[in-house]
Amino acid sequence: LKSRRLSVRNAPWAPLPLIDRPQSGGVMEEQQRTVADAIAEIAVSAAKETEAELDAELARLDALKEDDLEELRRKRLEEMKGEHKKRSEKLAAGHGEYENIEEKDFFNVAKKSDFIVAHFWRESTWRCEVMDKHLRQLCRKHWGTRFVKINAEKSPYLVERLHIWCLPSLVLCKNGKTDHTVVGFSEFATGDEATTEEVEELLAKYGIITLDR
């Protein structure tokens, strides 16, 4: 029996001693750790590169945003300066006020303003006072348009030339030419009870003023 055990132990097909098996597993684990570490390093490196690229892109967008904002500020400032200059010029020409003018001044006034609302009135007509109230409010709001009033009884030439036959009448002028005449309160659904807003909307309809929406 003893010799038979020795021959089995020394046979070429005999299994490896049990002590050798854990060593083989340890090598595999070491190799696995090495591969895992390499993958982790690659992942970290890729993450850093991605983060750097992201930071660079964010910085670029931030810089672009600042440039855009600066350009918008510059344009807005130029617009405000231009608007202020235009307003000052209009106010110097009588815009923003509701002024009574003489017949002889009408054509000179018409040359200086692109848009004019000329109210032909008479002292004894109470509806003219109603129209006065509306135009006095609108002239301050719509300073781009010139609002004037003309005494019809003292302006026979204009009354005949512009075919004024009913008071009040609003002669609307564009670029030095008469464009339309609003006869009395005939174009208002509520007649002489029309509100200032309704008068405003009618003037906007004919392009004499611009409504802010």
Side-chain angles (χ1 to χ4, degrees):
L1 291 175
K2 184 176 181 181
S3 60
R4 188 176 300 172
R5 287 187 189 131
L6 289 174
S7 62
V8 171
R9 182 178 298 176
N10 295 328
W13 48 265
L16 292 173
L18 293 179
I19 194 170
D20 291 337
R21 291 181 181 177
Q23 291 179 358
S24 177
V27 171
M28 291 179 64
E29 291 178 2
E30 183 67 25
Q31 290 176 346
Q32 290 176 353
R33 283 197 296 270
T34 303
V35 173
D37 291 343
I39 293 174
E41 290 179 3
I42 293 173
V44 170
S45 178
K48 288 182 178 179
E49 290 179 2
T50 302
E51 185 177 358
E53 291 175 358
L54 182 60
D55 290 341
E57 182 65 14
L58 289 174
R60 186 186 70 81
L61 291 176
D62 287 340
L64 181 63
K65 185 177 179 181
E66 285 297 324
D67 291 342
D68 289 344
L69 288 174
E70 187 63 30
E71 182 65 14
L72 287 174
R73 291 192 195 99
R74 186 186 65 78
K75 289 183 178 180
R76 181 55 182 158
L77 184 60
E78 290 179 356
E79 290 176 0
M80 291 175 64
K81 288 181 178 179
E83 189 74 5
H84 178 72
K85 181 181 179 181
K86 182 179 179 181
R87 181 183 174 87
S88 297
E89 292 174 350
K90 294 292 185 182
L91 294 179
H95 289 237
E97 298 178 0
Y98 182 46
E99 182 183 3
N100 185 57
I101 65 172
E102 302 293 332
E103 181 181 51
K104 61 183 177 61
D105 298 324
F106 176 75
F107 293 103
N108 186 43
V109 168
K111 292 178 182 178
K112 293 181 179 179
S113 300
D114 296 331
F115 302 100
I116 296 176
V117 176
H119 173 207
F120 282 81
W121 67 288
R122 182 174 56 197
E123 290 183 2
S124 59
T125 304
W126 66 268
R127 286 185 176 84
C128 291
E129 295 179 3
V130 174
M131 187 62 75
D132 273 344
K133 180 190 69 174
H134 298 313
L135 299 182
R136 196 170 288 111
Q137 293 183 49
L138 293 175
C139 73
R140 293 189 291 269
K141 181 178 179 181
H142 299 282
W143 54 265
T145 298
R146 181 82 188 273
F147 289 77
V148 298
K149 57 188 297 188
I150 302 171
N151 191 322
E153 292 181 327
K154 297 180 180 180
S155 309
Y157 173 76
L158 287 177
V159 167
E160 181 179 357
R161 179 168 179 176
L162 300 177
H163 308 290
I164 304 299
W165 58 273
C166 177
L167 299 176
S169 281
L170 301 182
V171 176
L172 311 181
C173 303
K174 292 181 181 179
N175 301 314
K177 298 180 180 180
T178 56
D179 183 72
H180 179 74
T181 299
V182 180
V183 179
F185 288 85
S186 60
E187 297 191 41
F188 301 99
T190 55
D192 53 32
E193 294 182 357
T195 63
T196 301
E197 288 72 23
E198 290 175 308
V199 176
E200 183 180 36
E201 289 176 0
L202 183 65
L203 296 179
K205 172 186 174 182
Y206 292 111
I208 296 298
I209 62 175
T210 302
L211 294 179
D212 296 329
R213 294 300 185 184

